[in-house]
PDB file of all heavy atoms in Angstrom:
ATOM      1  N   SER A  25     181.007-146.046 -48.613  1.00 97.00           N
ATOM      2  CA  SER A  25     181.793-147.002 -49.079  1.00 97.00           C
ATOM      3  C   SER A  25     181.050-147.922 -50.138  1.00 97.00           C
ATOM      4  O   SER A  25     179.753-147.985 -50.055  1.00 97.00           O
ATOM      5  CB  SER A  25     182.275-148.072 -47.952  1.00 97.00           C
ATOM      6  OG  SER A  25     182.686-149.322 -48.557  1.00 97.00           O
ATOM      7  N   GLU A  26     181.630-148.386 -51.146  1.00 97.00           N
ATOM      8  CA  GLU A  26     180.987-149.156 -52.187  1.00 97.00           C
ATOM      9  C   GLU A  26     180.373-150.353 -51.551  1.00 97.00           C
ATOM     10  O   GLU A  26     179.532-151.079 -52.227  1.00 97.00           O
ATOM     11  CB  GLU A  26     182.029-149.576 -53.313  1.00 97.00           C
ATOM     12  CG  GLU A  26     182.603-148.413 -54.002  1.00 97.00           C
ATOM     13  CD  GLU A  26     183.889-147.866 -53.434  1.00 97.00           C
ATOM     14  OE1 GLU A  26     184.235-148.160 -52.218  1.00 97.00           O
ATOM     15  OE2 GLU A  26     184.607-147.244 -54.101  1.00 97.00           O
ATOM     16  N   HIS A  27     180.731-150.773 -50.412  1.00 96.00           N
ATOM     17  CA  HIS A  27     180.381-152.042 -49.764  1.00 96.00           C
ATOM     18  C   HIS A  27     179.001-151.788 -49.090  1.00 96.00           C
ATOM     19  O   HIS A  27     178.254-152.717 -48.722  1.00 96.00           O
ATOM     20  CB  HIS A  27     181.385-152.629 -48.789  1.00 96.00           C
ATOM     21  CG  HIS A  27     182.632-152.912 -49.356  1.00 96.00           C
ATOM     22  ND1 HIS A  27     182.835-154.152 -50.069  1.00 96.00           N
ATOM     23  CD2 HIS A  27     183.824-152.238 -49.546  1.00 96.00           C
ATOM     24  CE1 HIS A  27     184.107-154.177 -50.461  1.00 96.00           C
ATOM     25  NE2 HIS A  27     184.656-152.991 -50.132  1.00 96.00           N
ATOM     26  N   GLN A  28     178.562-150.494 -48.960  1.00 96.00           N
ATOM     27  CA  GLN A  28     177.325-150.196 -48.337  1.00 96.00           C
ATOM     28  C   GLN A  28     176.046-150.446 -49.281  1.00 96.00           C
ATOM     29  O   GLN A  28     176.163-150.290 -50.521  1.00 96.00           O
ATOM     30  CB  GLN A  28     177.276-148.687 -47.909  1.00 96.00           C
ATOM     31  CG  GLN A  28     178.184-148.373 -46.802  1.00 96.00           C
ATOM     32  CD  GLN A  28     178.144-146.807 -46.516  1.00 96.00           C
ATOM     33  OE1 GLN A  28     177.578-146.112 -47.172  1.00 96.00           O
ATOM     34  NE2 GLN A  28     179.150-146.475 -45.618  1.00 96.00           N
ATOM     35  N   ASN A  29     175.025-150.767 -48.708  1.00 94.00           N
ATOM     36  CA  ASN A  29     173.701-150.804 -49.395  1.00 94.00           C
ATOM     37  C   ASN A  29     173.277-149.374 -49.871  1.00 94.00           C
ATOM     38  O   ASN A  29     173.521-148.413 -49.089  1.00 94.00           O
ATOM     39  CB  ASN A  29     172.641-151.402 -48.446  1.00 94.00           C
ATOM     40  CG  ASN A  29     171.241-151.541 -49.061  1.00 94.00           C
ATOM     41  OD1 ASN A  29     170.579-150.524 -49.302  1.00 94.00           O
ATOM     42  ND2 ASN A  29     170.784-152.728 -49.383  1.00 94.00           N
ATOM     43  N   ILE A  30     172.785-149.358 -51.070  1.00 95.00           N
ATOM     44  CA  ILE A  30     172.313-148.035 -51.557  1.00 95.00           C
ATOM     45  C   ILE A  30     170.775-148.035 -52.056  1.00 95.00           C
ATOM     46  O   ILE A  30     170.408-147.603 -53.169  1.00 95.00           O
ATOM     47  CB  ILE A  30     173.196-147.497 -52.785  1.00 95.00           C
ATOM     48  CG1 ILE A  30     173.311-148.567 -53.864  1.00 95.00           C
ATOM     49  CG2 ILE A  30     174.492-147.194 -52.229  1.00 95.00           C
ATOM     50  CD1 ILE A  30     173.843-147.985 -55.236  1.00 95.00           C
ATOM     51  N   ASP A  31     170.077-148.668 -51.071  1.00 94.00           N
ATOM     52  CA  ASP A  31     168.549-148.896 -51.507  1.00 94.00           C
ATOM     53  C   ASP A  31     167.667-147.724 -51.132  1.00 94.00           C
ATOM     54  O   ASP A  31     166.426-147.877 -51.132  1.00 94.00           O
ATOM     55  CB  ASP A  31     168.012-150.102 -50.841  1.00 94.00           C
ATOM     56  CG  ASP A  31     168.522-151.421 -51.659  1.00 94.00           C
ATOM     57  OD1 ASP A  31     168.935-151.240 -52.840  1.00 94.00           O
ATOM     58  OD2 ASP A  31     168.454-152.502 -51.129  1.00 94.00           O
ATOM     59  N   HIS A  32     168.152-146.633 -50.768  1.00 93.00           N
ATOM     60  CA  HIS A  32     167.407-145.494 -50.228  1.00 93.00           C
ATOM     61  C   HIS A  32     167.677-144.173 -50.858  1.00 93.00           C
ATOM     62  O   HIS A  32     168.123-143.289 -50.167  1.00 93.00           O
ATOM     63  CB  HIS A  32     167.405-145.396 -48.691  1.00 93.00           C
ATOM     64  CG  HIS A  32     167.025-146.692 -47.933  1.00 93.00           C
ATOM     65  ND1 HIS A  32     167.936-147.734 -47.800  1.00 93.00           N
ATOM     66  CD2 HIS A  32     165.876-147.122 -47.631  1.00 93.00           C
ATOM     67  CE1 HIS A  32     167.232-148.657 -47.180  1.00 93.00           C
ATOM     68  NE2 HIS A  32     166.016-148.457 -47.118  1.00 93.00           N
ATOM     69  N   PRO A  33     167.516-144.060 -52.161  1.00 94.00           N
ATOM     70  CA  PRO A  33     167.838-142.773 -52.847  1.00 94.00           C
ATOM     71  C   PRO A  33     166.842-141.774 -52.419  1.00 94.00           C
ATOM     72  O   PRO A  33     165.555-142.006 -52.018  1.00 94.00           O
ATOM     73  CB  PRO A  33     167.559-143.082 -54.275  1.00 94.00           C
ATOM     74  CG  PRO A  33     166.754-144.213 -54.253  1.00 94.00           C
ATOM     75  CD  PRO A  33     167.115-145.065 -53.121  1.00 94.00           C
ATOM     76  N   VAL A  34     167.220-140.526 -52.304  1.00 93.00           N
ATOM     77  CA  VAL A  34     166.223-139.394 -51.864  1.00 93.00           C
ATOM     78  C   VAL A  34     165.988-138.327 -53.000  1.00 93.00           C
ATOM     79  O   VAL A  34     165.444-137.295 -52.748  1.00 93.00           O
ATOM     80  CB  VAL A  34     166.832-138.561 -50.725  1.00 93.00           C
ATOM     81  CG1 VAL A  34     166.908-139.650 -49.505  1.00 93.00           C
ATOM     82  CG2 VAL A  34     168.269-137.982 -50.929  1.00 93.00           C
ATOM     83  N   SER A  35     166.330-138.669 -54.257  1.00 93.00           N
ATOM     84  CA  SER A  35     165.961-137.806 -55.401  1.00 93.00           C
ATOM     85  C   SER A  35     165.864-138.796 -56.637  1.00 93.00           C
ATOM     86  O   SER A  35     166.458-139.808 -56.641  1.00 93.00           O
ATOM     87  CB  SER A  35     167.021-136.794 -55.679  1.00 93.00           C
ATOM     88  OG  SER A  35     168.289-137.369 -56.138  1.00 93.00           O
ATOM     89  N   LEU A  36     165.071-138.332 -57.639  1.00 95.00           N
ATOM     90  CA  LEU A  36     164.964-139.178 -58.861  1.00 95.00           C
ATOM     91  C   LEU A  36     166.247-139.203 -59.535  1.00 95.00           C
ATOM     92  O   LEU A  36     166.602-140.243 -60.136  1.00 95.00           O
ATOM     93  CB  LEU A  36     163.881-138.500 -59.736  1.00 95.00           C
ATOM     94  CG  LEU A  36     163.723-139.208 -61.057  1.00 95.00           C
ATOM     95  CD1 LEU A  36     163.156-140.649 -60.796  1.00 95.00           C
ATOM     96  CD2 LEU A  36     162.679-138.480 -62.018  1.00 95.00           C
ATOM     97  N   TYR A  37     166.978-138.147 -59.546  1.00 94.00           N
ATOM     98  CA  TYR A  37     168.400-138.108 -60.127  1.00 94.00           C
ATOM     99  C   TYR A  37     169.223-139.465 -59.566  1.00 94.00           C
ATOM    100  O   TYR A  37     169.779-140.180 -60.278  1.00 94.00           O
ATOM    101  CB  TYR A  37     169.030-136.850 -59.901  1.00 94.00           C
ATOM    102  CG  TYR A  37     170.531-136.905 -60.280  1.00 94.00           C
ATOM    103  CD1 TYR A  37     170.932-136.985 -61.551  1.00 94.00           C
ATOM    104  CD2 TYR A  37     171.548-136.878 -59.341  1.00 94.00           C
ATOM    105  CE1 TYR A  37     172.302-137.046 -61.952  1.00 94.00           C
ATOM    106  CE2 TYR A  37     172.797-136.855 -59.662  1.00 94.00           C
ATOM    107  CZ  TYR A  37     173.247-136.895 -60.989  1.00 94.00           C
ATOM    108  OH  TYR A  37     174.483-136.932 -61.390  1.00 94.00           O
ATOM    109  N   ALA A  38     169.315-139.490 -58.291  1.00 95.00           N
ATOM    110  CA  ALA A  38     169.828-140.503 -57.571  1.00 95.00           C
ATOM    111  C   ALA A  38     169.411-141.909 -57.943  1.00 95.00           C
ATOM    112  O   ALA A  38     170.169-142.824 -58.312  1.00 95.00           O
ATOM    113  CB  ALA A  38     169.850-140.334 -56.051  1.00 95.00           C
ATOM    114  N   ALA A  39     168.014-142.011 -58.017  1.00 96.00           N
ATOM    115  CA  ALA A  39     167.421-143.240 -58.463  1.00 96.00           C
ATOM    116  C   ALA A  39     167.844-143.775 -59.909  1.00 96.00           C
ATOM    117  O   ALA A  39     168.184-144.866 -60.138  1.00 96.00           O
ATOM    118  CB  ALA A  39     165.905-143.114 -58.456  1.00 96.00           C
ATOM    119  N   THR A  40     167.941-142.713 -60.765  1.00 97.00           N
ATOM    120  CA  THR A  40     168.392-143.051 -62.126  1.00 97.00           C
ATOM    121  C   THR A  40     169.863-143.445 -62.165  1.00 97.00           C
ATOM    122  O   THR A  40     170.250-144.402 -62.965  1.00 97.00           O
ATOM    123  CB  THR A  40     168.257-141.944 -63.179  1.00 97.00           C
ATOM    124  OG1 THR A  40     169.103-140.794 -62.816  1.00 97.00           O
ATOM    125  CG2 THR A  40     166.716-141.431 -63.201  1.00 97.00           C
ATOM    126  N   LYS A  41     170.710-142.907 -61.292  1.00 97.00           N
ATOM    127  CA  LYS A  41     172.059-143.335 -61.267  1.00 97.00           C
ATOM    128  C   LYS A  41     172.306-144.719 -60.697  1.00 97.00           C
ATOM    129  O   LYS A  41     173.071-145.544 -61.103  1.00 97.00           O
ATOM    130  CB  LYS A  41     172.945-142.221 -60.438  1.00 97.00           C
ATOM    131  CG  LYS A  41     173.166-141.073 -61.256  1.00 97.00           C
ATOM    132  CD  LYS A  41     173.826-141.235 -62.586  1.00 97.00           C
ATOM    133  CE  LYS A  41     174.136-139.983 -63.313  1.00 97.00           C
ATOM    134  NZ  LYS A  41     174.932-140.185 -64.614  1.00 97.00           N
ATOM    135  N   LYS A  42     171.419-145.047 -59.650  1.00 97.00           N
ATOM    136  CA  LYS A  42     171.429-146.418 -59.102  1.00 97.00           C
ATOM    137  C   LYS A  42     171.020-147.323 -60.224  1.00 97.00           C
ATOM    138  O   LYS A  42     171.589-148.530 -60.455  1.00 97.00           O
ATOM    139  CB  LYS A  42     170.558-146.588 -57.884  1.00 97.00           C
ATOM    140  CG  LYS A  42     170.583-148.089 -57.406  1.00 97.00           C
ATOM    141  CD  LYS A  42     169.785-148.329 -56.201  1.00 97.00           C
ATOM    142  CE  LYS A  42     169.861-149.859 -56.026  1.00 97.00           C
ATOM    143  NZ  LYS A  42     169.222-150.293 -54.744  1.00 97.00           N
ATOM    144  N   ALA A  43     169.913-146.937 -60.916  1.00 98.00           N
ATOM    145  CA  ALA A  43     169.443-147.706 -61.948  1.00 98.00           C
ATOM    146  C   ALA A  43     170.542-148.090 -63.062  1.00 98.00           C
ATOM    147  O   ALA A  43     170.664-149.123 -63.552  1.00 98.00           O
ATOM    148  CB  ALA A  43     168.249-147.151 -62.738  1.00 98.00           C
ATOM    149  N   ASN A  44     171.351-146.952 -63.397  1.00 98.00           N
ATOM    150  CA  ASN A  44     172.341-147.253 -64.366  1.00 98.00           C
ATOM    151  C   ASN A  44     173.365-148.450 -63.918  1.00 98.00           C
ATOM    152  O   ASN A  44     173.740-149.207 -64.677  1.00 98.00           O
ATOM    153  CB  ASN A  44     173.198-146.016 -64.494  1.00 98.00           C
ATOM    154  CG  ASN A  44     172.453-144.928 -65.338  1.00 98.00           C
ATOM    155  OD1 ASN A  44     172.963-143.784 -65.433  1.00 98.00           O
ATOM    156  ND2 ASN A  44     171.275-145.241 -65.972  1.00 98.00           N
ATOM    157  N   GLU A  45     173.685-148.377 -62.509  1.00 98.00           N
ATOM    158  CA  GLU A  45     174.529-149.440 -62.047  1.00 98.00           C
ATOM    159  C   GLU A  45     173.983-150.787 -62.189  1.00 98.00           C
ATOM    160  O   GLU A  45     174.561-151.831 -62.504  1.00 98.00           O
ATOM    161  CB  GLU A  45     174.966-149.120 -60.637  1.00 98.00           C
ATOM    162  CG  GLU A  45     175.678-147.778 -60.301  1.00 98.00           C
ATOM    163  CD  GLU A  45     176.139-147.455 -58.926  1.00 98.00           C
ATOM    164  OE1 GLU A  45     175.916-148.378 -58.159  1.00 98.00           O
ATOM    165  OE2 GLU A  45     176.717-146.453 -58.689  1.00 98.00           O
ATOM    166  N   LEU A  46     172.541-150.885 -61.947  1.00 98.00           N
ATOM    167  CA  LEU A  46     171.892-152.222 -62.047  1.00 98.00           C
ATOM    168  C   LEU A  46     171.819-152.593 -63.389  1.00 98.00           C
ATOM    169  O   LEU A  46     172.059-153.832 -63.820  1.00 98.00           O
ATOM    170  CB  LEU A  46     170.517-152.077 -61.393  1.00 98.00           C
ATOM    171  CG  LEU A  46     170.375-151.743 -59.961  1.00 98.00           C
ATOM    172  CD1 LEU A  46     168.892-151.454 -59.582  1.00 98.00           C
ATOM    173  CD2 LEU A  46     170.861-152.919 -59.076  1.00 98.00           C
ATOM    174  N   MET A  47     171.592-151.766 -64.339  1.00 98.00           N
ATOM    175  CA  MET A  47     171.560-152.044 -65.742  1.00 98.00           C
ATOM    176  C   MET A  47     172.941-152.485 -66.292  1.00 98.00           C
ATOM    177  O   MET A  47     173.066-153.524 -67.072  1.00 98.00           O
ATOM    178  CB  MET A  47     171.021-150.761 -66.468  1.00 98.00           C
ATOM    179  CG  MET A  47     169.561-150.465 -66.263  1.00 98.00           C
ATOM    180  SD  MET A  47     169.180-148.716 -66.836  1.00 98.00           S
ATOM    181  CE  MET A  47     169.122-148.901 -68.513  1.00 98.00           C
ATOM    182  N   ALA A  48     173.888-151.748 -65.795  1.00 98.00           N
ATOM    183  CA  ALA A  48     175.288-152.123 -66.170  1.00 98.00           C
ATOM    184  C   ALA A  48     175.614-153.609 -65.751  1.00 98.00           C
ATOM    185  O   ALA A  48     176.146-154.428 -66.426  1.00 98.00           O
ATOM    186  CB  ALA A  48     176.279-151.105 -65.702  1.00 98.00           C
ATOM    187  N   HIS A  49     175.293-153.760 -64.554  1.00 98.00           N
ATOM    188  CA  HIS A  49     175.565-155.125 -64.035  1.00 98.00           C
ATOM    189  C   HIS A  49     174.892-156.284 -64.846  1.00 98.00           C
ATOM    190  O   HIS A  49     175.525-157.324 -65.050  1.00 98.00           O
ATOM    191  CB  HIS A  49     175.103-155.320 -62.442  1.00 98.00           C
ATOM    192  CG  HIS A  49     175.554-156.637 -61.825  1.00 98.00           C
ATOM    193  ND1 HIS A  49     174.690-157.757 -61.933  1.00 98.00           N
ATOM    194  CD2 HIS A  49     176.661-156.963 -61.213  1.00 98.00           C
ATOM    195  CE1 HIS A  49     175.356-158.690 -61.323  1.00 98.00           C
ATOM    196  NE2 HIS A  49     176.499-158.225 -60.882  1.00 98.00           N
ATOM    197  N   THR A  50     173.603-156.045 -65.142  1.00 98.00           N
ATOM    198  CA  THR A  50     172.944-156.968 -65.914  1.00 98.00           C
ATOM    199  C   THR A  50     173.599-157.301 -67.299  1.00 98.00           C
ATOM    200  O   THR A  50     173.717-158.540 -67.676  1.00 98.00           O
ATOM    201  CB  THR A  50     171.434-156.467 -66.179  1.00 98.00           C
ATOM    202  OG1 THR A  50     170.795-156.317 -65.063  1.00 98.00           O
ATOM    203  CG2 THR A  50     170.655-157.585 -67.038  1.00 98.00           C
ATOM    204  N   TYR A  51     173.993-156.287 -67.908  1.00 98.00           N
ATOM    205  CA  TYR A  51     174.749-156.470 -69.225  1.00 98.00           C
ATOM    206  C   TYR A  51     176.142-157.023 -68.966  1.00 98.00           C
ATOM    207  O   TYR A  51     176.566-157.938 -69.861  1.00 98.00           O
ATOM    208  CB  TYR A  51     174.893-155.106 -69.988  1.00 98.00           C
ATOM    209  CG  TYR A  51     173.657-154.883 -70.925  1.00 98.00           C
ATOM    210  CD1 TYR A  51     172.377-154.670 -70.333  1.00 98.00           C
ATOM    211  CD2 TYR A  51     173.745-154.953 -72.283  1.00 98.00           C
ATOM    212  CE1 TYR A  51     171.260-154.729 -71.155  1.00 98.00           C
ATOM    213  CE2 TYR A  51     172.732-154.598 -73.141  1.00 98.00           C
ATOM    214  CZ  TYR A  51     171.483-154.562 -72.575  1.00 98.00           C
ATOM    215  OH  TYR A  51     170.322-154.410 -73.346  1.00 98.00           O
ATOM    216  N   SER A  52     176.832-156.732 -67.951  1.00 98.00           N
ATOM    217  CA  SER A  52     178.112-157.512 -67.603  1.00 98.00           C
ATOM    218  C   SER A  52     177.863-158.963 -67.366  1.00 98.00           C
ATOM    219  O   SER A  52     178.571-159.736 -67.862  1.00 98.00           O
ATOM    220  CB  SER A  52     178.674-156.786 -66.401  1.00 98.00           C
ATOM    221  OG  SER A  52     179.128-155.430 -66.713  1.00 98.00           O
ATOM    222  N   HIS A  53     176.659-159.210 -66.733  1.00 97.00           N
ATOM    223  CA  HIS A  53     176.400-160.612 -66.366  1.00 97.00           C
ATOM    224  C   HIS A  53     175.986-161.394 -67.632  1.00 97.00           C
ATOM    225  O   HIS A  53     176.544-162.460 -67.980  1.00 97.00           O
ATOM    226  CB  HIS A  53     175.387-160.724 -65.366  1.00 97.00           C
ATOM    227  CG  HIS A  53     174.741-162.038 -65.083  1.00 97.00           C
ATOM    228  ND1 HIS A  53     175.500-162.930 -64.427  1.00 97.00           N
ATOM    229  CD2 HIS A  53     173.573-162.705 -65.579  1.00 97.00           C
ATOM    230  CE1 HIS A  53     174.766-164.224 -64.420  1.00 97.00           C
ATOM    231  NE2 HIS A  53     173.670-163.982 -65.087  1.00 97.00           N
ATOM    232  N   LEU A  54     175.050-160.858 -68.475  1.00 98.00           N
ATOM    233  CA  LEU A  54     174.439-161.525 -69.646  1.00 98.00           C
ATOM    234  C   LEU A  54     175.452-161.572 -70.765  1.00 98.00           C
ATOM    235  O   LEU A  54     175.539-162.633 -71.448  1.00 98.00           O
ATOM    236  CB  LEU A  54     173.204-160.869 -70.062  1.00 98.00           C
ATOM    237  CG  LEU A  54     172.023-160.959 -69.081  1.00 98.00           C
ATOM    238  CD1 LEU A  54     170.903-160.116 -69.625  1.00 98.00           C
ATOM    239  CD2 LEU A  54     171.560-162.435 -68.989  1.00 98.00           C
ATOM    240  N   PHE A  55     176.182-160.533 -71.038  1.00 98.00           N
ATOM    241  CA  PHE A  55     176.969-160.430 -72.299  1.00 98.00           C
ATOM    242  C   PHE A  55     178.453-160.182 -71.969  1.00 98.00           C
ATOM    243  O   PHE A  55     179.228-160.083 -72.983  1.00 98.00           O
ATOM    244  CB  PHE A  55     176.444-159.205 -73.077  1.00 98.00           C
ATOM    245  CG  PHE A  55     174.951-159.352 -73.364  1.00 98.00           C
ATOM    246  CD1 PHE A  55     174.039-158.370 -72.751  1.00 98.00           C
ATOM    247  CD2 PHE A  55     174.312-160.330 -74.056  1.00 98.00           C
ATOM    248  CE1 PHE A  55     172.686-158.395 -72.935  1.00 98.00           C
ATOM    249  CE2 PHE A  55     172.988-160.426 -74.254  1.00 98.00           C
ATOM    250  CZ  PHE A  55     172.147-159.447 -73.613  1.00 98.00           C
ATOM    251  N   ARG A  56     178.851-160.356 -70.680  1.00 97.00           N
ATOM    252  CA  ARG A  56     180.270-160.286 -70.266  1.00 97.00           C
ATOM    253  C   ARG A  56     180.902-158.898 -70.806  1.00 97.00           C
ATOM    254  O   ARG A  56     182.062-158.963 -71.182  1.00 97.00           O
ATOM    255  CB  ARG A  56     181.037-161.497 -70.878  1.00 97.00           C
ATOM    256  CG  ARG A  56     180.412-162.870 -70.607  1.00 97.00           C
ATOM    257  CD  ARG A  56     179.802-163.006 -69.115  1.00 97.00           C
ATOM    258  NE  ARG A  56     180.866-163.268 -68.127  1.00 97.00           N
ATOM    259  CZ  ARG A  56     180.529-163.266 -66.712  1.00 97.00           C
ATOM    260  NH1 ARG A  56     179.291-163.135 -66.356  1.00 97.00           N
ATOM    261  NH2 ARG A  56     181.444-163.408 -65.904  1.00 97.00           N
ATOM    262  N   ILE A  57     180.159-157.900 -70.767  1.00 98.00           N
ATOM    263  CA  ILE A  57     180.769-156.658 -71.145  1.00 98.00           C
ATOM    264  C   ILE A  57     181.399-156.030 -69.856  1.00 98.00           C
ATOM    265  O   ILE A  57     180.637-155.827 -68.832  1.00 98.00           O
ATOM    266  CB  ILE A  57     179.722-155.704 -71.671  1.00 98.00           C
ATOM    267  CG1 ILE A  57     178.927-156.101 -72.837  1.00 98.00           C
ATOM    268  CG2 ILE A  57     180.268-154.284 -71.953  1.00 98.00           C
ATOM    269  CD1 ILE A  57     177.683-155.372 -73.229  1.00 98.00           C
ATOM    270  N   PRO A  58     182.705-155.810 -69.898  1.00 98.00           N
ATOM    271  CA  PRO A  58     183.297-155.062 -68.677  1.00 98.00           C
ATOM    272  C   PRO A  58     182.704-153.691 -68.501  1.00 98.00           C
ATOM    273  O   PRO A  58     182.746-152.893 -69.487  1.00 98.00           O
ATOM    274  CB  PRO A  58     184.775-155.031 -69.122  1.00 98.00           C
ATOM    275  CG  PRO A  58     184.942-156.129 -70.064  1.00 98.00           C
ATOM    276  CD  PRO A  58     183.770-156.152 -70.945  1.00 98.00           C
ATOM    277  N   THR A  59     182.119-153.375 -67.376  1.00 98.00           N
ATOM    278  CA  THR A  59     181.550-152.148 -67.099  1.00 98.00           C
ATOM    279  C   THR A  59     182.077-151.591 -65.806  1.00 98.00           C
ATOM    280  O   THR A  59     182.206-152.405 -64.780  1.00 98.00           O
ATOM    281  CB  THR A  59     180.028-152.104 -67.090  1.00 98.00           C
ATOM    282  OG1 THR A  59     179.572-152.857 -65.929  1.00 98.00           O
ATOM    283  CG2 THR A  59     179.445-152.718 -68.300  1.00 98.00           C
ATOM    284  N   THR A  60     182.389-150.421 -65.734  1.00 98.00           N
ATOM    285  CA  THR A  60     182.786-149.683 -64.492  1.00 98.00           C
ATOM    286  C   THR A  60     182.007-148.364 -64.206  1.00 98.00           C
ATOM    287  O   THR A  60     182.013-147.512 -65.133  1.00 98.00           O
ATOM    288  CB  THR A  60     184.310-149.409 -64.476  1.00 98.00           C
ATOM    289  OG1 THR A  60     185.090-150.506 -64.686  1.00 98.00           O
ATOM    290  CG2 THR A  60     184.808-148.846 -63.103  1.00 98.00           C
ATOM    291  N   GLY A  61     181.394-148.289 -63.068  1.00 98.00           N
ATOM    292  CA  GLY A  61     180.685-147.060 -62.684  1.00 98.00           C
ATOM    293  C   GLY A  61     181.521-146.293 -61.633  1.00 98.00           C
ATOM    294  O   GLY A  61     182.145-146.890 -60.784  1.00 98.00           O
TER     295      GLY A  61
END
C-alpha cells in the first residue's frame, strides 16, 4: 500500500526510484509543481 513505509530498498534500482519520489515531492513543495509517481 502507498501508506506503507518504503525505507528498505533491496536494489540500487529500487533506491533510485524511491529517490525520484523524494525529489518529486521536494519540487512539488518548493515550486508547487503537480507531480504523480
Side-chain angles (χ1 to χ4, degrees):
S25 165
E26 299 92 340
H27 300 279
Q28 292 174 359
N29 177 287
I30 56 167
D31 283 343
H32 301 88
V34 297
S35 70
L36 179 63
Y37 171 69
T40 64
K41 288 300 184 178
K42 174 176 178 176
N44 287 170
E45 294 183 5
L46 295 173
M47 294 161 73
H49 185 274
T50 303
Y51 270 62
S52 292
H53 171 75
L54 291 174
F55 308 113
R56 313 315 287 178
I57 302 167
T59 68
T60 304

